[in-house]
């Protein structure tokens, strides 16, 4: 296997692992929100908007010049 091929495989594995971790985090937050918050106070849309905003802030900062 070539060196670029190995780096591509490593990148793909890490990317899939990141998506799995983010999915598990959101599932855990959803479970906590549905079980611990009072009835009718958990909103899935708010969770998704927060996740999208946090992703833009955290991962978008990597592309800003210092």
């Amino acid at each position: 296997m070539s060196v670029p091929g190995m780096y591509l495989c490593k990148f793909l594995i890490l990317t899939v692992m990141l998506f799995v971790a983010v999915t598990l985090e959101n599932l855990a937050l959803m479970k906590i929100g549905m079980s611990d918050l009072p009835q009718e106070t958990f909103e899935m849309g708010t969770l998704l908007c927060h996740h999208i905003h946090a992703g833009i802030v955290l991962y978008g900062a990597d592309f800003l010049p210092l």
Side-chain angles (χ1 to χ4, degrees), residues 20-37 42 44 47:
V20 167
V22 168
T23 302
L24 288 174
E25 177 186 16
N26 284 334
L27 288 173
L29 288 171
M30 184 178 65
K31 175 77 170 159
I32 291 168
M34 291 173 68
S35 63
D36 292 346
L37 291 176
F42 174 74
M44 179 62 82
L47 176 65

Side-chain angles (χ1 to χ4, degrees), residues 6-46:
M6 289 185 345
Y7 278 111
L8 177 64
C9 287
K10 181 179 179 180
F11 172 75
L12 292 175
I13 290 169
L14 290 174
T15 302
V16 168
M17 289 173 60
L18 174 66
F19 287 135
V20 167
V22 168
T23 302
L24 288 174
E25 177 186 16
N26 284 334
L27 288 173
L29 288 171
M30 184 178 65
K31 175 77 170 159
I32 291 168
M34 291 173 68
S35 63
D36 292 346
L37 291 176
Q39 193 71 14
E40 302 295 325
T41 58
F42 174 74
E43 296 176 354
M44 179 62 82
T46 304

